[in-house]
C-alpha cells in the first residue's frame, strides 16, 4: 500500500504556468494529502526507513527544468528535452509520467503563421470559386439568350414567328441607309476628282517650269514661251487653291458619312438586336402561357414575365434613342450639305471662270486655310 501511494505521488501531474511556477490547482491538495499520509505511514512502519524511502522518491522525481515531451502517441519512443525556461506562451500542463502524450498548443509564432496562411489560402480559394461561378452563370445566360434569339430569327425567316413592327421608324431607317449609300458614292467621286485634279496641277507646274527654261534657251521664241509659262504658273496657283476647297469638301462629307451617319446606324443595330430579343422573350412567354398551370409552370411564367419586361424596357429605350438621333441627323445633314455644296459650286465656278479674286474670297468665306507648298511632303527621316 505504501508503494502504491508513493507511485501515485511520483506520477502526479504538476501544472506549470508561463513563468515556470507551480499553479494553484486542485491537484496540489491531493499531492499534499498524499505526502502527509506517506509520512504518517512511515512513522508507523519503521520511522527512519520510511523517511529515507520518501526522501528518495521526492529526490528522484522529475526535474522541472528538463521535462520529457513525447512527440508521438501513447507509448511512443521519440522524445526530446525542452527546457521550460525557453517555452513562452499560455500555461501548459506537463505530465511527468513517461511515454505519455502531452499536447502543446500556442507554442511559438509558427502556429500563428501557419493558421494565418491557411486562412488566407482558404479565402483565396473562395474568391476564385466565386469568380468561376459568376463566369459560369454569365456564360449560361448568354447561351440561353443566344438560343432564344436564334430560334426567333429562324422563325421569322421561315414565316412562322411574329415580329414587332414600327412602320414609320423602319421607313426612316431605310431612308437613312439609302442616303448613306448615295453620299458614299458622292464621296468616292469627289476623291477621284481630287486625285485627277492634283495630277493635272502637278502637270501644269512641270509644264510651266519647262516653258520658262525654254524661254531662256530660245531667244527667237522667248516671248511665246514666256507668257505660256506665266499662264501655267497662274493656273497651277489657282488649282492649288481649288484643291484646298475640294479637300475641305471631301473631309466634311467623309465626317458626315463615316462618323455621324455610322454612329446613328450603330444605334439602329443595337435597336434591332433589342427588338429581336424582345420578340424572342415575348414568344417564350406566350408559349408558357399556353401550357399547364402547376406550381413549376407558374414559377417559370413569372420568371419569363420578368425577363420580358426587362427586354421590353430596353427595346422602348433604344427606339426612343433611334428616333432622336434620326431627327438630329437630318438637321445636321441639311446644315452641313448646304454649306459644302455652296462652297463646291463657288470654288469650281471661280476657277473655271478664271476669277482668282473670287476663288480666294470663297476660301476666306468658309475659313479654309491652305497648307504651304511642300507641307504634305514627308521629311527625309520619314522616307527612310
Amino acid at each position: 500500500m505504501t508503494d502504491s501511494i508513493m507511485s501515485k505521488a511520483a506520477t502526479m501531474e504538476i501544472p506549470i504556468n508561463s513563468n515556470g511556477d507551480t499553479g494553484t490547482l486542485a491537484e496540489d491538495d491531493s499531492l499534499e494529502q498524499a505526502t502527509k499520509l506517506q509520512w504518517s505511514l512511515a512513522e508507523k512502519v519503521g520511522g527512519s526507513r520510511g523517511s529515507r524511502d520518501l526522501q528518495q522518491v521526492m529526490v528522484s522525481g522529475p526535474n522541472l527544468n528538463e521535462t520529457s515531451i513525447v512527440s508521438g502517441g501513447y507509448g511512443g519512443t521519440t522524445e526530446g528535452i525542452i527546457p521550460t525556461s525557453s517555452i513562452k506562451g499560455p500555461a501548459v500542463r506537463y505530465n511527468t509520467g513517461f511515454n505519455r502524450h502531452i499536447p502543446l498548443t500556442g507554442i511559438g509564432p509558427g502556429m500563428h503563421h501557419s493558421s494565418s496562411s491557411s486562412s488566407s489560402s482558404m479565402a483565396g480559394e473562395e474568391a476564385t470559386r466565386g469568380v468561376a461561378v459568376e463566369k459560369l452563370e454569365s456564360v449560361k445566360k448568354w447561351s440561353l439568350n443566344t438560343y432564344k434569339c436564334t430560334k426567333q430569327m429562324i422563325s421569322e425567316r421561315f414565316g412562322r414567328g411574329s415580329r414587332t413592327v414600327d412602320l414609320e421608324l423602319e421607313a426612316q431607317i431605310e431612308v437613312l441607309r439609302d442616303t448613306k449609300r448615295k453620299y458614299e458614292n458622292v464621296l468616292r467621286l469627289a476623291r477621284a476628282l481630287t486625285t485627277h485634279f492634283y495630277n493635272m496641277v502637278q502637270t501644269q507646274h512641270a509644264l510651266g517650269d519647262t516653258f520658262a527654261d525654254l524661254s531662256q534657251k530660245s531667244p527667237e521664241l522667248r516671248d511665246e514661251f514666256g507668257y505660256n509659262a506665266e499662264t501655267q504658273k497662274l493656273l497651277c496657283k489657282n488649282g492649288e487653291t481649288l484643291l484646298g476647297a475640294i479637300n475641305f469638301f471631301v473631309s466634311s462629307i467623309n465626317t458626315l458619312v463615316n462618323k455621324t451617319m455610322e454612329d446613328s446606324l450603330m444605334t439602329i443595330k443595337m435597336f434591332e438586336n433589342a427588338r429581336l430579343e424582345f420578340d424572342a422573350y415575348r414568344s417564350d412567354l406566350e408559349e408558357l402561357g399556353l401550357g399547364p398551370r402547376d406550381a413549376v409552370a407558374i414559377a417559370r411564367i413569372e420568371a419569363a414575365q420578368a425577363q420580358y419586361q426587362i427586354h421590353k424596357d430596353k427595346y422602348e429605350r433604344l427606339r426612343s434613342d433611334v428616333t432622336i438621333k434620326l431627327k438630329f441627323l437630318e438637321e445636321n445633314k441639311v446644315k452641313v450639305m448646304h454649306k459644302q455644296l455652296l462652297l463646291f459650286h463657288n470654288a469650281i465656278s471661280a476657277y473655271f471662270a478664271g476669277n482668282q479674286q473670287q476663288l480666294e474670297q470663297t476660301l476666306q468665306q468658309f475659313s479654309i486655310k491652305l497648307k504651304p507648298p511642300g507641307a504634305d511632303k514627308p521629311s527625309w527621316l520619314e522616307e527612310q
Side-chain angles (χ1 to χ4, degrees):
M1 180 177 178
T2 304
D3 296 335
S4 63
I5 294 174
M6 293 174 62
S7 176
K8 180 179 179 181
T11 58
M12 186 66 64
E13 294 184 358
I14 302 175
I16 306 298
N17 60 15
S18 59
N19 295 324
D21 299 330
T22 58
T24 58
L25 298 177
E27 294 173 354
D28 294 341
D29 297 335
S30 61
L31 179 60
E32 183 179 357
Q33 293 175 3
T35 305
K36 291 180 179 180
L37 180 61
Q38 176 63 31
W39 278 107
S40 61
L41 291 175
E43 290 176 355
K44 292 179 180 181
V45 174
S48 61
R49 179 182 177 183
S51 301
R52 288 194 301 270
D53 293 339
L54 182 60
Q55 290 177 1
Q56 183 178 1
V57 169
M58 297 301 294
V59 172
S60 61
N63 187 0
L64 295 179
N65 292 327
E66 293 184 355
T67 304
S68 175
I69 300 176
V70 182
S71 60
Y74 180 81
T77 58
T78 306
E79 297 180 355
I81 302 302
I82 302 177
T84 56
S85 61
S86 64
I87 300 177
K88 298 180 181 179
V92 181
R93 176 177 295 177
Y94 295 93
N95 196 324
T96 57
F98 298 100
N99 296 333
R100 285 193 178 184
H101 174 66
I102 302 175
L104 300 178
T105 58
I107 298 178
M111 299 296 294
H112 298 286
H113 178 70
S114 61
S115 61
S116 62
S117 300
S118 61
S119 61
S120 62
S121 63
M122 290 177 63
E125 291 177 359
E126 291 179 357
T128 304
R129 189 181 301 109
V131 173
V133 171
E134 184 179 355
K135 288 184 178 180
L136 184 61
E137 289 295 328
S138 177
V139 171
K140 182 179 178 181
K141 291 180 180 179
W142 175 84
S143 301
L144 182 61
N145 185 71
T146 303
Y147 166 73
K148 292 181 180 294
C149 293
T150 305
K151 180 182 176 181
Q152 176 66 23
M153 184 172 58
I154 294 175
S155 299
E156 292 178 2
R157 291 282 178 87
F158 288 96
R160 294 195 300 266
S162 60
R163 63 186 297 266
T164 304
V165 179
D166 190 336
L167 296 177
E168 182 180 359
L169 184 60
E170 290 188 1
Q172 295 177 2
I173 292 173
E174 188 60 32
V175 169
L176 172 60
R177 286 172 173 161
D178 184 65
T179 302
K180 185 174 184 291
R181 286 192 294 267
K182 293 178 179 179
Y183 277 44
E184 285 175 345
N185 189 36
V186 171
L187 180 61
R188 180 181 59 83
L189 294 174
R191 284 173 172 170
L193 176 63
T194 303
T195 301
H196 297 323
F197 197 77
Y198 174 80
N199 293 330
M200 188 185 74
V201 170
Q202 295 300 314
T203 303
Q204 288 176 339
H205 187 274
L207 189 59
D209 292 341
T210 302
F211 284 157
D213 184 63
L214 288 173
S215 175
Q216 297 294 328
K217 297 180 179 179
S218 302
E220 65 280 3
L221 298 173
R222 176 175 299 175
D223 295 336
E224 289 79 358
F225 280 124
Y227 60 71
N228 274 282
E230 292 297 329
T231 301
Q232 294 300 320
K233 289 181 180 180
L234 180 61
L235 291 174
C236 181
K237 181 180 178 181
N238 293 340
E240 290 176 352
T241 305
L242 180 60
L243 274 175
I246 296 176
N247 285 330
F248 186 77
F249 175 82
V250 169
S251 176
S252 300
I253 300 299
N254 180 66
T255 302
L256 177 63
V257 172
N258 293 323
K259 291 186 178 180
T260 309
M261 291 184 178
E262 189 64 28
D263 178 70
S264 299
L265 288 175
M266 288 294 296
T267 306
I268 290 171
K269 186 176 180 181
M270 294 171 60
F271 162 72
E272 291 176 343
N273 291 335
R275 196 278 309 165
L276 183 64
E277 291 179 351
F278 167 67
D279 285 336
Y281 283 91
R282 176 182 56 80
S283 300
D284 187 35
L285 181 61
E286 292 174 355
E287 291 178 2
L288 290 175
L290 298 175
R293 292 287 181 169
D294 55 358
V296 177
I298 292 175
R300 293 180 62 185
I301 290 174
E302 291 177 354
Q305 181 68 34
Q307 291 295 323
Y308 164 79
Q309 189 63 40
I310 291 173
H311 288 86
K312 181 181 178 181
D313 295 340
K314 180 181 179 182
Y315 165 75
E316 292 178 350
R317 183 179 69 253
L318 287 173
R319 181 175 61 179
S320 177
D321 293 345
V322 170
T323 303
I324 294 173
K325 281 199 172 186
L326 288 178
K327 179 181 178 181
F328 283 107
L329 175 62
E330 184 65 23
E331 295 176 356
N332 188 35
K333 181 193 71 174
V334 172
K335 184 186 299 184
V336 170
M337 291 308 299
H338 175 76
K339 177 181 178 180
Q340 296 304 317
L341 290 173
L342 183 62
L343 166 66
F344 191 81
H345 174 269
N346 292 344
I348 292 292
S349 299
Y351 173 80
F352 284 99
N355 193 340
Q356 180 181 1
Q357 183 179 1
Q358 184 181 356
L359 182 60
E360 293 177 353
Q361 288 177 355
T362 300
L363 267 68
Q364 292 177 0
Q365 179 184 356
F366 293 95
S367 303
I368 300 174
K369 296 182 179 181
L370 297 177
K371 295 181 180 180
D376 294 334
K377 185 178 180 181
S379 64
W380 65 273
L381 287 174
E382 296 175 342
E383 291 177 352
Q384 299 298 323

